[in-house]
Amino acid sequence: MSEKPPSSSSSAVAALSPLNRVTSPSLNLLPPNSPPRLFESAVEHFSSIPWCAALIHDRSAAGGPLPGNGQAAIAFISQCVNPVSTRHDQYVGRTLSHGHPYAATATAAGSSPPTSSTSSPLSSSDEAGDDGFEAERARGPPIRHMLSLFRPDDASQLRDPSRPILRVASLFALGGGTSGYGGIVHGGLIATILDESLGFVNELNTALGKEGDLFSASSVTASLNVKFLAPVTTTEKAICVTSWIEAMQGRKTILKAEVTNGKGEKLAVAESIWVAVKPRL
């Protein structure tokens, strides 16, 4: 939910009330009418990629997107890929993932879309041909899988409503039809992924019942500044977006984020302001 609703529309504001569609079996957050194996398939996919598996399962990591603190990472999936209805989260939840035509093709194929460099972005000599088109379809929708993670600072943080989670790392597996220039993921998709990932922090704290005006209502993007540092190639098996709260000022959240690849290379950074929507304007 990154678009600010018109101030004259009370119905638009009402539609932004917290939907609590965060999915996390370990937190007993299990929204009704969720797609079968949405969470399990994401965990399985990222666990098959060594650097993602380390992020998910390693408690001892001293650095990286989620420093260990001796606590296990807790995985969750945002409501953006598990909308409450066809009126919500259409862009990410349907256009870029489950509802995309490539999603049906990948499912019908009966196997995971290919991710190796030999079957990913097509050369200029064949990308216009039928074989190239089918190869892109076989890679699945633009966002194939998404999984977010956080680590509590200690065992009591989850239970303490006055201590919000300040940092979230989100893994994205990208599929077909994502390029701008050949072999490079379109910057608009990277900006969308950054925008969504920034919102996951407040969304998680709302689902956990954290105190304060910021977490008792939905927040929307007031500003987003993105700097692209290096191309995100379409051969990347996964990318990681780490988002964190820099400051909280009344109804405003100041957030930052960065995109990294499996080598830890920083590909893009963002600064953003989010505003909690008042129940009535």
Side-chain angles (χ1 to χ4, degrees):
M1 284 179 280
S2 59
E3 295 183 0
K4 190 172 182 179
S7 59
S8 61
S9 174
S10 60
S11 61
V13 175
L16 288 171
S17 61
L19 300 175
N20 293 326
R21 294 285 294 179
V22 167
T23 302
S24 178
S26 63
L27 297 175
N28 199 31
L29 296 174
L30 302 169
N33 303 317
S34 298
R37 303 197 76 253
L38 173 69
F39 183 86
E40 292 80 3
S41 63
V43 172
E44 290 170 5
H45 178 82
F46 290 114
S47 293
S48 71
I49 303 171
W51 70 267
C52 296
L55 183 62
I56 297 170
H57 303 293
D58 187 1
R59 292 175 179 236
S60 63
L66 289 177
N69 301 320
Q71 302 293 313
I74 299 175
F76 69 95
I77 288 180
S78 163
Q79 67 187 33
C80 72
V81 291
N82 188 16
V84 68
S85 77
T86 56
R87 297 186 299 108
H88 296 87
D89 291 297
Q90 294 175 342
Y91 184 48
V92 175
R94 295 190 58 80
T95 303
L96 294 179
S97 54
H98 307 308
H100 193 279
Y102 288 6
T105 302
T107 301
S111 61
S112 298
T115 55
S116 70
S117 59
T118 58
S119 59
S120 282
L122 305 167
S123 67
S124 58
S125 62
D126 65 9
E127 64 184 358
D130 291 341
D131 290 345
F133 178 74
E134 290 305 319
E136 283 295 288
R137 287 177 62 90
R139 294 180 64 219
I143 297 178
R144 293 169 50 203
H145 295 284
M146 185 192 74
L147 186 71
S148 297
L149 305 141
F150 71 97
R151 292 186 199 273
D153 290 337
D154 51 56
S156 65
Q157 187 178 15
L158 273 179
R159 301 188 299 273
D160 188 341
S162 68
R163 298 174 62 197
I165 302 299
L166 301 179
R167 191 178 188 90
V168 171
S170 299
L171 298 169
F172 291 84
L174 303 182
T178 61
S179 68
Y181 286 102
I184 298 174
V185 176
H186 194 288
L189 179 57
I190 299 303
T192 294
I193 287 172
L194 278 163
D195 185 38
E196 291 294 329
S197 299
L198 288 158
F200 295 166
V201 184
N202 283 0
E203 183 183 343
L204 172 65
N205 284 300
T206 296
L208 293 175
K210 299 301 183 179
E211 295 174 344
D213 293 341
L214 286 175
F215 310 131
S216 61
S218 291
S219 292
V220 294
T221 311
S223 68
L224 176 65
N225 180 26
V226 180
K227 293 183 179 179
F228 299 99
L229 306 179
V232 179
T233 65
T234 55
T235 55
E236 294 284 359
K237 291 184 177 181
I239 57 174
C240 179
V241 182
T242 307
S243 309
W244 63 93
I245 294 176
E246 281 281 301
M248 294 180 284
Q249 303 171 354
R251 294 191 300 115
K252 292 182 179 180
T253 314
I254 315 300
L255 298 119
K256 291 187 177 181
E258 63 182 31
V259 180
T260 55
N261 59 16
K263 298 177 182 178
E265 297 168 332
K266 195 178 296 185
L267 307 176
V269 296
E271 298 181 0
S272 186
I273 298 175
W274 285 62
V275 178
V277 178
K278 294 181 179 179
R280 295 180 183 275
L281 293 182

